[in-house]
Amino acid sequence: MRGTLLANRRGVQRFRQLAITAVKSSKIKLLLLCCIAFTVLVVGTRTSDFMGWTNYSDSVDQFPLPEKGYAIVMNTWKRYDLLKQSISHYSSCAGLKSIHIVWSEPNPPSDSLSKFLNHVVELKTKGLKKIKLSFDINKEDSLNNRFKEISGLKTDAVFSIDDDVIFPCSSVEFAFKVWQSAPDAMVGFVPRAHWVDKSHGKKEYYTYGGWWSVWWTGTYSMVLSKAAFFNKKYLRLYTNEMPASIKEFVTKNRNCEDIAMSFLVANATGAPPIWVKGKLHEIGSTGISSLGGHSEKRTRCLNRFVAEFGRMPLLPTTVKAVDSRISWFW
């Protein structure tokens, strides 16, 4: 009798052990199944991006834009074909609210040019939104005109751009979002650098560094206003508080207004600009940067402005904003 009871107890214990083992095995299998499903989901998503199945321009539109977008302030000079091409391109950018063309030519814009540009804007927007296009006409031919205060400007964000520079709208919208995270900073696509040149034997003599200096060192201290976002308040500061001697120097030398604006913003914020990665398309043939002695002239501007400001406000940085959704290599 006792032998029978003992055998029954052992049988029950074995059954319990087998049941516990089976339950543990099921849990492990369920956990493994969940991990495999998650891995397949992630890989599938990444693969669709890699194979081009996801339209990036559509993914940008999924992020809601604020009520206030940005205004384009475009500098131009007797290059009507380039102006038409640029206005046609940027008119389709989602966050654009108004276009202001800085006009410094001796004659006002023709009626045919004005009608053509307004027609292009209306055509590109497909009547879904109203984009105001205006010419800011100046009597004097000066590079300072691009930073004149604009009355009635409704957006805080200004995208300063040259008429021969094209960036994809997706890049512009991303740069706008970067600017929104630092609305007092200057946020742009074209970085430049400066450094102390000790070879002159002076304590504070600075040298201007172009793109190759930035590429080699990974350091920059300016973003050029040929393609940059900044707050509209800097137009007021440049117009009313920039030293007259600096503006006269810019007008006389037809150069360095972008460096002057970089000085003004850095002096006001005590912070460096932000460089945004973007693919630049220059549709013009040549510019002042292609002329001989360009770097030397820019170096002279740097030191002249340092003397006027009483110090060097530009701050070097290595920060670069990259849209990781479309960049495999940052």
Side-chain angles (χ1 to χ4, degrees):
M1 186 71 177
R2 289 182 179 178
T4 303
L5 291 173
L6 183 62
N8 289 339
R9 288 177 182 176
R10 289 177 179 175
V12 171
Q13 289 176 353
R14 287 180 181 178
F15 178 78
R16 287 177 178 175
Q17 290 177 352
L18 289 173
I20 292 172
T21 302
V23 170
K24 289 182 177 179
S25 177
S26 299
K27 289 181 177 179
I28 292 173
K29 290 179 180 178
L30 181 60
L31 181 61
L32 288 174
L33 183 62
C34 291
C35 291
I36 292 172
F38 177 76
T39 303
V40 170
L41 179 63
V42 171
V43 171
T45 303
R46 287 292 184 181
T47 303
S48 66
D49 291 341
F50 177 74
M51 297 299 292
W53 297 336
T54 299
N55 189 324
Y56 171 63
S57 61
D58 292 339
S59 67
V60 170
D61 295 337
Q62 293 174 5
F63 294 86
L65 291 168
E67 293 183 2
K68 291 185 178 181
Y70 54 87
I72 279 183
V73 177
M74 184 175 293
N75 197 47
T76 188
W77 176 260
K78 294 185 177 181
R79 300 190 291 189
Y80 308 136
D81 289 340
L82 300 185
L83 179 62
K84 291 176 181 179
Q85 189 173 341
S86 293
I87 296 298
S88 176
H89 169 73
Y90 289 113
S91 294
S92 59
C93 294
L96 179 63
K97 299 300 181 183
S98 61
I99 301 173
H100 304 264
I101 301 171
V102 180
W103 192 270
S104 302
E105 298 181 20
N107 298 318
S110 65
D111 291 339
S112 60
L113 177 63
S114 180
K115 289 180 181 178
F116 178 87
L117 294 179
N118 278 286
H119 175 70
V120 165
V121 170
E122 186 177 354
L123 187 66
K124 286 291 182 176
T125 57
K126 300 176 181 179
L128 298 177
K129 62 177 181 177
K130 179 67 175 179
I131 294 179
K132 179 183 177 182
L133 183 143
S134 61
F135 290 88
D136 297 333
I137 300 176
N138 301 278
K139 296 180 179 180
E140 180 188 16
D141 175 20
S142 171
L143 290 176
N144 292 305
N145 292 339
R146 72 181 307 162
F147 299 137
K148 276 189 175 181
E149 186 176 12
I150 300 174
S151 61
L153 189 59
K154 295 182 179 180
T155 62
D156 288 337
V158 171
F159 184 46
S160 175
I161 191 79
D162 283 353
D163 60 2
D164 61 345
V165 176
I166 296 290
F167 283 94
C169 284
S170 57
S171 296
V172 177
E173 299 300 325
F174 176 69
F176 177 48
K177 289 179 174 61
V178 173
W179 176 84
Q180 287 179 301
S181 69
D184 288 330
M186 201 165 178
V187 176
F189 294 101
V190 187
R192 293 295 184 262
H194 82 281
W195 62 86
V196 177
D197 189 347
K198 297 181 180 179
S199 64
H200 283 72
K202 298 179 180 180
K203 185 178 180 181
E204 293 185 351
Y205 186 86
Y206 299 94
T207 296
Y208 176 84
W211 161 246
W212 291 110
S213 298
V214 176
W215 179 84
W216 182 256
T217 64
T219 303
Y220 66 98
S221 56
M222 295 170 273
V223 290
L224 301 187
S225 57
K226 67 186 295 180
F229 278 96
F230 53 78
N231 195 294
K232 68 178 181 181
K233 65 184 177 183
Y234 296 123
L235 297 178
R236 174 178 54 80
L237 289 175
Y238 193 101
T239 301
N240 301 317
E241 299 188 28
M242 179 65 77
S245 56
I246 289 181
K247 290 193 283 188
E248 290 170 3
F249 182 89
V250 168
T251 299
K252 181 179 179 180
N253 292 273
R254 297 195 62 81
N255 205 332
C256 300
E257 84 287 354
D258 47 2
I259 297 179
M261 176 57 87
S262 291
F263 266 65
L264 184 147
V265 176
N267 188 64
T269 62
I274 301 175
W275 171 22
V276 177
K277 182 179 179 181
K279 191 172 183 181
L280 168 65
H281 299 278
E282 290 189 287
I283 57 178
S285 55
T286 58
I288 60 174
S289 60
S290 62
L291 302 177
H294 179 68
S295 293
E296 290 76 11
K297 292 177 182 177
R298 306 278 277 183
T299 293
R300 188 161 62 250
C301 291
L302 273 178
N303 289 282
R304 174 64 180 268
F305 296 167
V306 167
E308 295 285 351
F309 273 75
R311 69 186 187 95
M312 167 53 80
L314 300 178
L315 296 173
T317 182
T318 58
V319 173
K320 182 179 181 181
V322 178
D323 192 342
S324 59
R325 294 172 296 175
I326 59 171
S327 299
W328 285 84
F329 300 101
W330 299 3

PDB file of all heavy atoms in Angstrom, residues 273-303:
ATOM      1  N   PRO A 273      27.098  80.528 -34.683  1.00  0.00           N
ATOM      2  CA  PRO A 273      25.989  80.184 -35.584  1.00  0.00           C
ATOM      3  C   PRO A 273      25.809  78.669 -35.641  1.00  0.00           C
ATOM      4  O   PRO A 273      26.529  77.923 -34.959  1.00  0.00           O
ATOM      5  CB  PRO A 273      26.450  80.746 -36.928  1.00  0.00           C
ATOM      6  CG  PRO A 273      27.945  80.634 -36.865  1.00  0.00           C
ATOM      7  CD  PRO A 273      28.320  80.887 -35.437  1.00  0.00           C
ATOM      8  N   ILE A 274      24.864  78.233 -36.446  1.00  0.00           N
ATOM      9  CA  ILE A 274      24.613  76.794 -36.631  1.00  0.00           C
ATOM     10  C   ILE A 274      24.672  76.471 -38.115  1.00  0.00           C
ATOM     11  O   ILE A 274      23.937  77.047 -38.917  1.00  0.00           O
ATOM     12  CB  ILE A 274      23.242  76.386 -36.060  1.00  0.00           C
ATOM     13  CG1 ILE A 274      23.160  76.722 -34.570  1.00  0.00           C
ATOM     14  CG2 ILE A 274      23.003  74.894 -36.280  1.00  0.00           C
ATOM     15  CD1 ILE A 274      21.792  76.462 -33.967  1.00  0.00           C
ATOM     16  N   TRP A 275      25.530  75.554 -38.454  1.00  0.00           N
ATOM     17  CA  TRP A 275      25.685  75.100 -39.836  1.00  0.00           C
ATOM     18  C   TRP A 275      24.759  73.915 -40.084  1.00  0.00           C
ATOM     19  O   TRP A 275      24.762  72.935 -39.345  1.00  0.00           O
ATOM     20  CB  TRP A 275      27.150  74.715 -40.069  1.00  0.00           C
ATOM     21  CG  TRP A 275      27.449  74.035 -41.368  1.00  0.00           C
ATOM     22  CD1 TRP A 275      26.722  74.070 -42.521  1.00  0.00           C
ATOM     23  CD2 TRP A 275      28.586  73.206 -41.657  1.00  0.00           C
ATOM     24  NE1 TRP A 275      27.328  73.323 -43.513  1.00  0.00           N
ATOM     25  CE2 TRP A 275      28.471  72.784 -43.003  1.00  0.00           C
ATOM     26  CE3 TRP A 275      29.685  72.796 -40.906  1.00  0.00           C
ATOM     27  CZ2 TRP A 275      29.420  71.950 -43.603  1.00  0.00           C
ATOM     28  CZ3 TRP A 275      30.625  71.973 -41.501  1.00  0.00           C
ATOM     29  CH2 TRP A 275      30.504  71.562 -42.839  1.00  0.00           C
ATOM     30  N   VAL A 276      23.946  74.014 -41.139  1.00  0.00           N
ATOM     31  CA  VAL A 276      23.029  72.954 -41.525  1.00  0.00           C
ATOM     32  C   VAL A 276      23.536  72.302 -42.812  1.00  0.00           C
ATOM     33  O   VAL A 276      23.872  72.995 -43.774  1.00  0.00           O
ATOM     34  CB  VAL A 276      21.600  73.502 -41.738  1.00  0.00           C
ATOM     35  CG1 VAL A 276      20.673  72.398 -42.223  1.00  0.00           C
ATOM     36  CG2 VAL A 276      21.068  74.107 -40.458  1.00  0.00           C
ATOM     37  N   LYS A 277      23.570  70.991 -42.808  1.00  0.00           N
ATOM     38  CA  LYS A 277      23.995  70.274 -44.003  1.00  0.00           C
ATOM     39  C   LYS A 277      22.920  70.375 -45.084  1.00  0.00           C
ATOM     40  O   LYS A 277      21.732  70.137 -44.830  1.00  0.00           O
ATOM     41  CB  LYS A 277      24.252  68.801 -43.699  1.00  0.00           C
ATOM     42  CG  LYS A 277      24.736  67.997 -44.895  1.00  0.00           C
ATOM     43  CD  LYS A 277      24.987  66.542 -44.526  1.00  0.00           C
ATOM     44  CE  LYS A 277      25.446  65.746 -45.742  1.00  0.00           C
ATOM     45  NZ  LYS A 277      25.669  64.316 -45.404  1.00  0.00           N
ATOM     46  N   GLY A 278      23.325  70.754 -46.286  1.00  0.00           N
ATOM     47  CA  GLY A 278      22.384  70.862 -47.391  1.00  0.00           C
ATOM     48  C   GLY A 278      23.120  70.830 -48.717  1.00  0.00           C
ATOM     49  O   GLY A 278      24.291  71.204 -48.798  1.00  0.00           O
ATOM     50  N   LYS A 279      22.439  70.397 -49.749  1.00  0.00           N
ATOM     51  CA  LYS A 279      23.049  70.283 -51.075  1.00  0.00           C
ATOM     52  C   LYS A 279      22.864  71.593 -51.833  1.00  0.00           C
ATOM     53  O   LYS A 279      21.746  71.989 -52.162  1.00  0.00           O
ATOM     54  CB  LYS A 279      22.424  69.129 -51.851  1.00  0.00           C
ATOM     55  CG  LYS A 279      23.188  68.792 -53.127  1.00  0.00           C
ATOM     56  CD  LYS A 279      22.650  67.520 -53.764  1.00  0.00           C
ATOM     57  CE  LYS A 279      23.468  67.147 -55.000  1.00  0.00           C
ATOM     58  NZ  LYS A 279      22.945  65.911 -55.644  1.00  0.00           N
ATOM     59  N   LEU A 280      23.969  72.259 -52.104  1.00  0.00           N
ATOM     60  CA  LEU A 280      23.959  73.576 -52.752  1.00  0.00           C
ATOM     61  C   LEU A 280      24.030  73.442 -54.266  1.00  0.00           C
ATOM     62  O   LEU A 280      24.851  72.703 -54.805  1.00  0.00           O
ATOM     63  CB  LEU A 280      25.149  74.400 -52.241  1.00  0.00           C
ATOM     64  CG  LEU A 280      25.493  75.697 -52.983  1.00  0.00           C
ATOM     65  CD1 LEU A 280      24.362  76.696 -52.819  1.00  0.00           C
ATOM     66  CD2 LEU A 280      26.803  76.274 -52.466  1.00  0.00           C
ATOM     67  N   HIS A 281      23.146  74.174 -54.943  1.00  0.00           N
ATOM     68  CA  HIS A 281      23.194  74.268 -56.396  1.00  0.00           C
ATOM     69  C   HIS A 281      23.371  75.744 -56.756  1.00  0.00           C
ATOM     70  O   HIS A 281      22.475  76.562 -56.508  1.00  0.00           O
ATOM     71  CB  HIS A 281      21.906  73.738 -57.027  1.00  0.00           C
ATOM     72  CG  HIS A 281      21.618  72.303 -56.733  1.00  0.00           C
ATOM     73  ND1 HIS A 281      22.195  71.261 -57.431  1.00  0.00           N
ATOM     74  CD2 HIS A 281      20.822  71.730 -55.793  1.00  0.00           C
ATOM     75  CE1 HIS A 281      21.760  70.115 -56.954  1.00  0.00           C
ATOM     76  NE2 HIS A 281      20.931  70.373 -55.953  1.00  0.00           N
ATOM     77  N   GLU A 282      24.501  76.096 -57.317  1.00  0.00           N
ATOM     78  CA  GLU A 282      24.742  77.474 -57.752  1.00  0.00           C
ATOM     79  C   GLU A 282      24.448  77.554 -59.248  1.00  0.00           C
ATOM     80  O   GLU A 282      25.148  76.954 -60.060  1.00  0.00           O
ATOM     81  CB  GLU A 282      26.181  77.886 -57.447  1.00  0.00           C
ATOM     82  CG  GLU A 282      26.444  78.043 -55.952  1.00  0.00           C
ATOM     83  CD  GLU A 282      27.797  78.647 -55.640  1.00  0.00           C
ATOM     84  OE1 GLU A 282      28.801  77.930 -55.806  1.00  0.00           O
ATOM     85  OE2 GLU A 282      27.849  79.825 -55.243  1.00  0.00           O
ATOM     86  N   ILE A 283      23.419  78.298 -59.593  1.00  0.00           N
ATOM     87  CA  ILE A 283      22.980  78.360 -60.983  1.00  0.00           C
ATOM     88  C   ILE A 283      23.617  79.527 -61.733  1.00  0.00           C
ATOM     89  O   ILE A 283      23.470  79.633 -62.951  1.00  0.00           O
ATOM     90  CB  ILE A 283      21.446  78.455 -61.064  1.00  0.00           C
ATOM     91  CG1 ILE A 283      20.936  79.665 -60.278  1.00  0.00           C
ATOM     92  CG2 ILE A 283      20.808  77.175 -60.542  1.00  0.00           C
ATOM     93  CD1 ILE A 283      19.426  79.862 -60.351  1.00  0.00           C
ATOM     94  N   GLY A 284      24.318  80.400 -61.013  1.00  0.00           N
ATOM     95  CA  GLY A 284      25.023  81.500 -61.658  1.00  0.00           C
ATOM     96  C   GLY A 284      26.401  81.060 -62.126  1.00  0.00           C
ATOM     97  O   GLY A 284      26.906  79.997 -61.741  1.00  0.00           O
ATOM     98  N   SER A 285      27.033  81.876 -62.931  1.00  0.00           N
ATOM     99  CA  SER A 285      28.347  81.535 -63.482  1.00  0.00           C
ATOM    100  C   SER A 285      29.468  81.917 -62.521  1.00  0.00           C
ATOM    101  O   SER A 285      30.277  81.090 -62.120  1.00  0.00           O
ATOM    102  CB  SER A 285      28.556  82.220 -64.835  1.00  0.00           C
ATOM    103  OG  SER A 285      28.358  83.633 -64.717  1.00  0.00           O
ATOM    104  N   THR A 286      29.513  83.161 -62.126  1.00  0.00           N
ATOM    105  CA  THR A 286      30.591  83.630 -61.258  1.00  0.00           C
ATOM    106  C   THR A 286      30.053  84.613 -60.226  1.00  0.00           C
ATOM    107  O   THR A 286      28.973  85.160 -60.369  1.00  0.00           O
ATOM    108  CB  THR A 286      31.695  84.340 -62.063  1.00  0.00           C
ATOM    109  OG1 THR A 286      31.123  85.447 -62.773  1.00  0.00           O
ATOM    110  CG2 THR A 286      32.363  83.388 -63.032  1.00  0.00           C
ATOM    111  N   GLY A 287      30.847  84.827 -59.194  1.00  0.00           N
ATOM    112  CA  GLY A 287      30.503  85.805 -58.173  1.00  0.00           C
ATOM    113  C   GLY A 287      31.768  86.488 -57.692  1.00  0.00           C
ATOM    114  O   GLY A 287      32.866  86.230 -58.189  1.00  0.00           O
ATOM    115  N   ILE A 288      31.621  87.351 -56.684  1.00  0.00           N
ATOM    116  CA  ILE A 288      32.795  88.091 -56.217  1.00  0.00           C
ATOM    117  C   ILE A 288      33.807  87.157 -55.560  1.00  0.00           C
ATOM    118  O   ILE A 288      34.997  87.481 -55.499  1.00  0.00           O
ATOM    119  CB  ILE A 288      32.389  89.208 -55.231  1.00  0.00           C
ATOM    120  CG1 ILE A 288      31.686  88.604 -54.001  1.00  0.00           C
ATOM    121  CG2 ILE A 288      31.504  90.230 -55.900  1.00  0.00           C
ATOM    122  CD1 ILE A 288      31.397  89.624 -52.917  1.00  0.00           C
ATOM    123  N   SER A 289      33.359  85.996 -55.078  1.00  0.00           N
ATOM    124  CA  SER A 289      34.294  85.072 -54.432  1.00  0.00           C
ATOM    125  C   SER A 289      35.272  84.449 -55.424  1.00  0.00           C
ATOM    126  O   SER A 289      36.299  83.910 -55.026  1.00  0.00           O
ATOM    127  CB  SER A 289      33.529  83.963 -53.713  1.00  0.00           C
ATOM    128  OG  SER A 289      32.735  83.224 -54.635  1.00  0.00           O
ATOM    129  N   SER A 290      34.926  84.526 -56.714  1.00  0.00           N
ATOM    130  CA  SER A 290      35.810  83.957 -57.738  1.00  0.00           C
ATOM    131  C   SER A 290      36.874  84.938 -58.201  1.00  0.00           C
ATOM    132  O   SER A 290      37.776  84.575 -58.957  1.00  0.00           O
ATOM    133  CB  SER A 290      34.983  83.484 -58.941  1.00  0.00           C
ATOM    134  OG  SER A 290      34.311  84.577 -59.542  1.00  0.00           O
ATOM    135  N   LEU A 291      36.774  86.184 -57.764  1.00  0.00           N
ATOM    136  CA  LEU A 291      37.738  87.197 -58.179  1.00  0.00           C
ATOM    137  C   LEU A 291      39.044  87.054 -57.409  1.00  0.00           C
ATOM    138  O   LEU A 291      39.070  86.544 -56.286  1.00  0.00           O
ATOM    139  CB  LEU A 291      37.147  88.599 -57.966  1.00  0.00           C
ATOM    140  CG  LEU A 291      35.835  88.899 -58.706  1.00  0.00           C
ATOM    141  CD1 LEU A 291      35.339  90.290 -58.325  1.00  0.00           C
ATOM    142  CD2 LEU A 291      36.016  88.775 -60.211  1.00  0.00           C
ATOM    143  N   GLY A 292      40.125  87.509 -57.986  1.00  0.00           N
ATOM    144  CA  GLY A 292      41.438  87.417 -57.359  1.00  0.00           C
ATOM    145  C   GLY A 292      41.510  88.249 -56.090  1.00  0.00           C
ATOM    146  O   GLY A 292      40.924  89.323 -56.002  1.00  0.00           O
ATOM    147  N   GLY A 293      42.241  87.736 -55.116  1.00  0.00           N
ATOM    148  CA  GLY A 293      42.432  88.456 -53.871  1.00  0.00           C
ATOM    149  C   GLY A 293      41.224  88.479 -52.960  1.00  0.00           C
ATOM    150  O   GLY A 293      41.160  89.294 -52.029  1.00  0.00           O
ATOM    151  N   HIS A 294      40.269  87.571 -53.186  1.00  0.00           N
ATOM    152  CA  HIS A 294      39.041  87.577 -52.395  1.00  0.00           C
ATOM    153  C   HIS A 294      39.317  87.321 -50.910  1.00  0.00           C
ATOM    154  O   HIS A 294      38.812  88.043 -50.044  1.00  0.00           O
ATOM    155  CB  HIS A 294      38.070  86.528 -52.939  1.00  0.00           C
ATOM    156  CG  HIS A 294      36.792  86.429 -52.178  1.00  0.00           C
ATOM    157  ND1 HIS A 294      35.842  87.423 -52.176  1.00  0.00           N
ATOM    158  CD2 HIS A 294      36.299  85.436 -51.367  1.00  0.00           C
ATOM    159  CE1 HIS A 294      34.822  87.060 -51.419  1.00  0.00           C
ATOM    160  NE2 HIS A 294      35.080  85.868 -50.916  1.00  0.00           N
ATOM    161  N   SER A 295      40.112  86.310 -50.613  1.00  0.00           N
ATOM    162  CA  SER A 295      40.393  85.974 -49.210  1.00  0.00           C
ATOM    163  C   SER A 295      41.137  87.096 -48.506  1.00  0.00           C
ATOM    164  O   SER A 295      40.884  87.379 -47.324  1.00  0.00           O
ATOM    165  CB  SER A 295      41.214  84.675 -49.133  1.00  0.00           C
ATOM    166  OG  SER A 295      40.440  83.566 -49.571  1.00  0.00           O
ATOM    167  N   GLU A 296      42.042  87.747 -49.228  1.00  0.00           N
ATOM    168  CA  GLU A 296      42.787  88.861 -48.627  1.00  0.00           C
ATOM    169  C   GLU A 296      41.849  90.019 -48.283  1.00  0.00           C
ATOM    170  O   GLU A 296      41.977  90.659 -47.231  1.00  0.00           O
ATOM    171  CB  GLU A 296      43.889  89.342 -49.582  1.00  0.00           C
ATOM    172  CG  GLU A 296      45.044  88.360 -49.762  1.00  0.00           C
ATOM    173  CD  GLU A 296      44.703  87.181 -50.662  1.00  0.00           C
ATOM    174  OE1 GLU A 296      43.623  87.233 -51.324  1.00  0.00           O
ATOM    175  OE2 GLU A 296      45.471  86.210 -50.708  1.00  0.00           O
ATOM    176  N   LYS A 297      40.892  90.286 -49.180  1.00  0.00           N
ATOM    177  CA  LYS A 297      39.918  91.353 -48.912  1.00  0.00           C
ATOM    178  C   LYS A 297      39.050  91.011 -47.699  1.00  0.00           C
ATOM    179  O   LYS A 297      38.751  91.879 -46.878  1.00  0.00           O
ATOM    180  CB  LYS A 297      39.037  91.569 -50.144  1.00  0.00           C
ATOM    181  CG  LYS A 297      39.771  92.147 -51.348  1.00  0.00           C
ATOM    182  CD  LYS A 297      38.843  92.271 -52.549  1.00  0.00           C
ATOM    183  CE  LYS A 297      39.591  92.809 -53.761  1.00  0.00           C
ATOM    184  NZ  LYS A 297      38.709  92.875 -54.967  1.00  0.00           N
ATOM    185  N   ARG A 298      38.668  89.754 -47.595  1.00  0.00           N
ATOM    186  CA  ARG A 298      37.837  89.328 -46.475  1.00  0.00           C
ATOM    187  C   ARG A 298      38.627  89.389 -45.159  1.00  0.00           C
ATOM    188  O   ARG A 298      38.067  89.724 -44.108  1.00  0.00           O
ATOM    189  CB  ARG A 298      37.321  87.917 -46.710  1.00  0.00           C
ATOM    190  CG  ARG A 298      36.595  87.720 -48.047  1.00  0.00           C
ATOM    191  CD  ARG A 298      35.187  88.163 -48.009  1.00  0.00           C
ATOM    192  NE  ARG A 298      34.323  87.150 -47.451  1.00  0.00           N
ATOM    193  CZ  ARG A 298      32.997  87.272 -47.358  1.00  0.00           C
ATOM    194  NH1 ARG A 298      32.403  88.388 -47.767  1.00  0.00           N
ATOM    195  NH2 ARG A 298      32.252  86.318 -46.847  1.00  0.00           N
ATOM    196  N   THR A 299      39.899  89.077 -45.230  1.00  0.00           N
ATOM    197  CA  THR A 299      40.754  89.187 -44.046  1.00  0.00           C
ATOM    198  C   THR A 299      40.847  90.639 -43.593  1.00  0.00           C
ATOM    199  O   THR A 299      40.798  90.941 -42.388  1.00  0.00           O
ATOM    200  CB  THR A 299      42.157  88.630 -44.345  1.00  0.00           C
ATOM    201  OG1 THR A 299      42.072  87.211 -44.550  1.00  0.00           O
ATOM    202  CG2 THR A 299      43.129  88.904 -43.212  1.00  0.00           C
ATOM    203  N   ARG A 300      40.968  91.542 -44.555  1.00  0.00           N
ATOM    204  CA  ARG A 300      41.013  92.963 -44.225  1.00  0.00           C
ATOM    205  C   ARG A 300      39.696  93.410 -43.572  1.00  0.00           C
ATOM    206  O   ARG A 300      39.704  94.209 -42.620  1.00  0.00           O
ATOM    207  CB  ARG A 300      41.302  93.777 -45.478  1.00  0.00           C
ATOM    208  CG  ARG A 300      41.559  95.253 -45.201  1.00  0.00           C
ATOM    209  CD  ARG A 300      42.270  95.939 -46.344  1.00  0.00           C
ATOM    210  NE  ARG A 300      41.497  95.921 -47.578  1.00  0.00           N
ATOM    211  CZ  ARG A 300      41.825  95.200 -48.652  1.00  0.00           C
ATOM    212  NH1 ARG A 300      42.909  94.428 -48.618  1.00  0.00           N
ATOM    213  NH2 ARG A 300      41.092  95.241 -49.742  1.00  0.00           N
ATOM    214  N   CYS A 301      38.587  92.881 -44.059  1.00  0.00           N
ATOM    215  CA  CYS A 301      37.291  93.199 -43.457  1.00  0.00           C
ATOM    216  C   CYS A 301      37.238  92.732 -42.004  1.00  0.00           C
ATOM    217  O   CYS A 301      36.769  93.464 -41.122  1.00  0.00           O
ATOM    218  CB  CYS A 301      36.169  92.521 -44.243  1.00  0.00           C
ATOM    219  SG  CYS A 301      35.882  93.172 -45.903  1.00  0.00           S
ATOM    220  N   LEU A 302      37.677  91.511 -41.761  1.00  0.00           N
ATOM    221  CA  LEU A 302      37.658  90.968 -40.406  1.00  0.00           C
ATOM    222  C   LEU A 302      38.353  91.906 -39.421  1.00  0.00           C
ATOM    223  O   LEU A 302      37.793  92.264 -38.375  1.00  0.00           O
ATOM    224  CB  LEU A 302      38.353  89.603 -40.371  1.00  0.00           C
ATOM    225  CG  LEU A 302      37.541  88.344 -40.684  1.00  0.00           C
ATOM    226  CD1 LEU A 302      38.450  87.130 -40.646  1.00  0.00           C
ATOM    227  CD2 LEU A 302      36.404  88.159 -39.689  1.00  0.00           C
ATOM    228  N   ASN A 303      39.573  92.292 -39.766  1.00  0.00           N
ATOM    229  CA  ASN A 303      40.360  93.109 -38.847  1.00  0.00           C
ATOM    230  C   ASN A 303      39.812  94.526 -38.723  1.00  0.00           C
ATOM    231  O   ASN A 303      39.893  95.136 -37.650  1.00  0.00           O
ATOM    232  CB  ASN A 303      41.822  93.109 -39.296  1.00  0.00           C
ATOM    233  CG  ASN A 303      42.485  91.763 -39.073  1.00  0.00           C
ATOM    234  OD1 ASN A 303      42.866  91.412 -37.964  1.00  0.00           O
ATOM    235  ND2 ASN A 303      42.617  90.982 -40.148  1.00  0.00           N
TER     236      ASN A 303
END
